[in-house]
Amino acid sequence: MSDFEKLINRFKDKINNAHNSLELDKIRSEIFGKSGLINTEFKKLGSLSPDDKKKIASEINNAKQELTKLFNQKSTGLQDTEIDEQLKKEKDDVTLPEKDFSIGKIHPVSQVIDEISSIFSEIGFSVEEGPDVESEYYNFTALNTPENHPAKDMHDTFYIEENMKTLLRTHTSPVQVRTMLKGKPPFKIIAPGRTYRSDSDQTHTPMFHQLEGLHIDKNITMGHLKGCLNYFIKEFFEINKIKMRFRPSHFPFTEPSAEVDIGYRIENNKIIIGEGDKWLEILGCGMVHPNVLKNSKVDPNKYQGFAFGIGIDRLAMLKYGINDLRSFFECDYRWLNYYGFDPLDVPTNYRGLSK
Ligand code: PHE
């Protein structure tokens, strides 16, 4: 191998072993710079005979071409790895335009469920849940509902199976039975959740929300039921005086049964709760029927108590002045932005529980 070839090979190795673009740039001037390898070699030609000149010049040109090719390959390779490494390091590109973000809002129904739950938890109720897809047994039969009861009609209830054994629960009352079967008395629970009925107009949607209440112990009476609801309504609407009336009613799973209305009046298009001579129905209730206790493995000779079922959506509409029930479920972000609650804030129209 000639000295020239050895020299070229040394530079090839140099190029191959360069660790980064900076090093490679130095090597570039060592080879191709003004006083670099190639020029120095060309300068040497002057002292040679014409024949040698031709031969050596073409050797230098070949070497130049080879080195240039190798150099370019190495250079692209190094740049690629350097960019990759930089991208790995720079997770945050501060030059990007800022991302648009907005804070979500709590839906009025969720807000009201939270409020109601905390009001009942203050007097010792705990929260239970049951499935939306329920069996006919828990939704009707265990709740003492006769075979021919109109609520069981296909027109009212969404059945999941043709044999009518599985359905979307029509109320939260099946959670009463599920809770009692699960444990031992006494029971003091509330159960909020979604319920379904084949109904749709300004005050009815096929899916709506209820909150079940159940208190079973040895000496629970209608008086306790009244006291409990009285406390709840005062706390919920944040008023000291309420007008409440129990109207006799009928539910297969309670005896006696009642529907509860609260008194209100309208002033400047706003509903004022607790005064006036108009009545609004807000819940159904009663003393749990002995058959329901039996179906739930609770001895009706030892235990008794009350249950109630509150329409949550209606309470939310009343408290926060929302007129159309259907708007609750249309998933319109503009609506939610207006009526929703800031997740980290106490709502501005929430004055705190009045004690
Ligand atoms: N489940 C009844 C309804 O949906 C309400 C209710 C619950 C009545 C508990 C009495 C006791 O209308």
Side-chain angles (χ1 to χ4, degrees), residues 155-158 196-201 203-208:
H155 295 296
D156 285 320
T157 299
F158 294 115
Y196 307 83
R197 282 178 209 174
S198 185
D199 234 345
S200 186
D201 58 40
T203 50
H204 296 91
T205 47
M207 190 278 296
F208 57 104

Side-chain angles (χ1 to χ4, degrees), residues 311-324:
I312 295 180
D313 313 286
R314 184 171 274 198
L315 286 193
M317 288 168 79
L318 279 177
K319 184 161 176 179
Y320 294 113
I322 305 165
N323 294 325
D324 190 343

Side-chain angles (χ1 to χ4, degrees), residues 40-54 56:
T40 321
E41 290 302 315
F42 273 125
K43 275 179 202 154
K44 285 183 194 161
L45 292 181
S47 53
L48 296 178
S49 68
D51 275 357
D52 282 351
K53 225 186 229 174
K54 220 176 159 190
I56 306 282

Side-chain angles (χ1 to χ4, degrees), residues 171 173 176 197 210 212 251 253-254 284-285 307-309:
H171 51 183
S173 300
Q176 287 185 34
R197 282 178 209 174
Q210 279 195 341
E212 196 77 9
F251 300 103
F253 33 92
T254 43
C285 62
F308 55 83

Side-chain angles (χ1 to χ4, degrees), residues 26-250:
K26 269 193 208 144
I27 301 169
R28 182 221 304 272
S29 49
E30 284 174 34
I31 300 174
F32 308 105
K34 241 186 176 170
S35 43
L37 167 77
I38 302 293
N39 277 341
T40 321
E41 290 302 315
F42 273 125
K43 275 179 202 154
K44 285 183 194 161
L45 292 181
S47 53
L48 296 178
S49 68
D51 275 357
D52 282 351
K53 225 186 229 174
K54 220 176 159 190
K55 192 173 146 252
I56 306 282
S58 95
E59 268 178 36
I60 301 175
N61 272 328
N62 284 343
K64 190 182 171 188
Q65 261 180 24
E66 260 183 78
L67 287 171
T68 311
K69 202 172 148 205
L70 187 66
F71 182 90
N72 286 341
Q73 272 172 3
K74 181 73 184 182
S75 173
T76 355
L78 279 179
Q79 275 171 20
D80 284 353
T81 25
E82 278 164 17
I83 288 174
D84 281 353
E85 268 165 26
Q86 199 167 356
L87 283 178
K88 252 186 247 160
K89 265 192 284 171
E90 289 181 10
K91 285 198 191 92
D92 300 320
D93 181 349
V94 290
T95 63
L96 284 175
E98 70 191 60
K99 257 195 200 153
D100 205 16
F101 74 94
S102 58
I103 296 172
K105 292 277 181 122
I106 293 179
H107 194 285
V109 171
S110 307
Q111 171 71 26
V112 163
I113 290 178
D114 283 354
E115 288 175 21
I116 299 179
S117 302
S118 82
I119 293 170
F120 278 107
S121 79
E122 285 196 32
I123 51 168
F125 284 79
S126 56
V127 178
E128 285 287 337
E129 274 181 327
D132 289 16
V133 178
E134 188 51 283
S135 70
E136 184 274 340
Y137 178 77
Y138 284 119
N139 195 81
F140 291 126
T141 312
L143 288 166
N144 198 40
T145 312
E147 264 323 301
N148 56 359
H149 195 279
K152 296 189 74 171
D153 200 283
M154 292 273 280
H155 295 296
D156 285 320
T157 299
F158 294 115
Y159 287 93
I160 303 261
E161 283 173 345
E162 265 175 37
N163 64 10
M164 295 168 80
K165 287 288 172 225
T166 314
L167 45 79
L168 294 177
R169 65 176 177 188
T170 60
H171 51 183
T172 41
S173 300
V175 187
Q176 287 185 34
V177 182
R178 284 180 175 275
T179 305
M180 288 192 276
L181 282 175
K182 236 175 27 186
K184 292 219 156 9
F187 299 102
K188 200 173 180 187
I189 60 114
I190 51 165
R194 281 188 278 271
T195 47
Y196 307 83
R197 282 178 209 174
S198 185
D199 234 345
S200 186
D201 58 40
Q202 195 178 347
T203 50
H204 296 91
T205 47
M207 190 278 296
F208 57 104
H209 296 83
Q210 279 195 341
L211 182 123
E212 196 77 9
L214 175 74
H215 188 184
I216 303 286
D217 208 335
K218 286 194 171 133
N219 298 304
I220 300 296
T221 67
M222 244 1 232
H224 293 111
L225 169 62
K226 223 171 164 174
C228 176
L229 293 175
N230 202 40
Y231 156 82
F232 163 67
I233 291 165
K234 276 195 209 159
E235 292 290 315
F236 181 74
F237 287 107
E238 300 161 31
I239 47 180
N240 294 321
K241 248 181 43 205
I242 54 156
K243 276 176 82 178
M244 185 169 79
R245 76 176 178 194
F246 278 59
R247 251 183 313 106
S249 184
H250 172 78

